[in-house]
Amino acid sequence: MASTFDRVRFASRLTTRRLGRTLMVRAEVGSTNDEAWDALAVDAPDGTIVVADAQTRGRGRAGRAWHTAPGRALALSVLLHQGCDRGSLGLLPLAAGLAVAQALETLGAAPMIKWPNDVLLGGRKVAGVLCESRRIQPAPGYPTSPPGREGAPAGARDAAVVGVGVNVAQDAGDFPPEIAETATSLALAGIATDRESVAAAFLDALEPLWTGLQEGGRAELLAAWSARADFWGRVVTVRTPAGVVCGVARSLDPDGALVLVLEDGTETVVLAGDLEAAPEEARP
Ligand code: BTN
């Protein structure tokens, strides 16, 4: 079965130098993130993207499933394997969420970001991001560590896959019941566009953010991200792997973790979790 993703339309919108310049289009896959990792195994270029009309095992954050309405949602993964230093990789999930938000702005929407990288329209989720990273071991026979890097695995390097799911053209009835009350699409928000335009706008936004990060521009990224979040100063609940934390959202720390002020006035830093805004009367 051929994919309905229009390569020509996509190429006519894309202005990047690297990201998306190698494009793999599929009608149906398990997960585009898995396809991107498979592409790395056969030496696909940095910036290769995989787009699929449908996913049978789409993954969300925290082990959740991600539903892709066939042909109506964008399921896209970007493979990054050049210059993936650990510092930059730590902020890549925020950069990807910001890139989605900036892309939707260029298409006429007014999105907000919910930490760490859900993108919302009118308080409902329109897009999600799943970033995965791996340490890649060198092929047998690769030269030993260069001078000054003794002890580092010879030739080992980091790579990442940025997976984004954007609800583009779904009607209300296209969402599974469990997310019907919390999800939206660009079409439902009155933005008439297509997957190709969203994909190109996302990559156009991600490329300078990623390059900026690699060049040390962490503060700029955090500022741009923070400007698109509306929960600062509000009481939030964060479900973390270690339990639920409740406090007033204060800021991002330099690594992109969420700083909360607890009821006793102390600060805590949350590294990972799902954020929910609490009702106003629940302020500590
Ligand atoms: C989330 O909000 O939980 C993240 C959702 C990420 C979904 C995208 S769709 C393309 C890529 N392939 C996957 O299996 N997941 C990501």
Side-chain angles (χ1 to χ4, degrees):
M1 187 174 46
S3 167
T4 56
F5 189 84
D6 187 332
R7 287 172 171 271
V8 175
R9 184 199 296 261
F10 169 72
S12 73
R13 288 168 176 49
L14 189 70
T15 65
T16 59
R17 286 186 61 237
R18 285 182 303 137
L19 304 192
R21 291 295 159 189
T22 301
L23 167 63
M24 297 168 58
V25 171
R26 301 284 182 265
E28 182 180 286
V29 297
S31 159
T32 54
N33 273 28
D34 290 340
E35 297 287 316
W37 286 121
D38 289 348
L40 175 65
V42 293
D43 290 332
D46 184 58
T48 293
I49 66 165
V50 181
V51 175
D53 297 343
Q55 299 187 109
T56 54
R57 291 185 307 279
R59 288 198 292 281
R61 290 193 309 110
R64 288 184 288 260
W66 179 261
H67 179 258
T68 302
R72 297 183 172 218
L74 177 67
L76 178 154
S77 297
V78 191
L79 171 65
L80 300 171
H81 59 76
Q82 295 295 315
C84 291
D85 62 280
R86 293 281 171 97
S88 301
L89 283 180
L91 287 183
L92 184 57
L94 294 191
L98 175 60
V100 175
Q102 290 179 338
L104 300 192
E105 286 167 7
T106 67
L107 297 168
M112 300 304 292
I113 314 179
K114 190 177 79 159
W115 185 84
N117 51 23
D118 285 353
V119 181
L120 311 179
L121 283 179
R124 288 175 172 239
K125 183 162 171 172
V126 71
V129 175
L130 176 67
C131 287
E132 299 172 330
S133 61
R134 292 184 185 172
R135 189 102 180 119
I136 307 302
Q137 297 304 325
Y142 196 89
T144 54
S145 304
R149 298 196 62 228
E150 290 83 2
R157 63 201 167 104
D158 291 298
V161 168
V162 179
V164 296
V166 184
N167 300 328
V168 178
Q170 291 101 321
D171 294 326
D174 289 329
F175 295 111
E178 60 275 19
I179 59 168
E181 300 302 316
T182 56
T184 191
S185 69
L186 289 168
L188 286 168
I191 307 291
T193 185
D194 49 69
R195 291 181 298 156
E196 295 82 358
S197 300
V198 177
F202 166 68
L203 296 165
D204 283 350
L206 182 62
E207 186 166 274
L209 291 173
W210 179 231
T211 304
L213 257 187
Q214 291 173 307
E215 292 170 354
R218 299 167 71 87
E220 294 82 355
L221 175 84
L222 294 171
W225 191 103
S226 298
R228 288 167 176 82
D230 64 357
F231 52 80
W232 303 123
R234 292 171 59 195
V235 176
V236 296
T237 299
V238 189
R239 294 181 196 287
T240 79
V244 174
V245 189
C246 186
V248 175
R250 182 168 174 227
S251 59
L252 296 177
D253 84 354
D255 297 321
L258 184 64
V259 180
L260 298 182
V261 180
L262 304 180
E263 198 167 5
D264 64 5
T266 61
E267 282 187 2
T268 193
V269 174
V270 184
L271 301 176
D274 285 316
L275 183 145
E276 292 166 14
E280 285 293 307
E281 58 271 22
R283 281 177 183 280

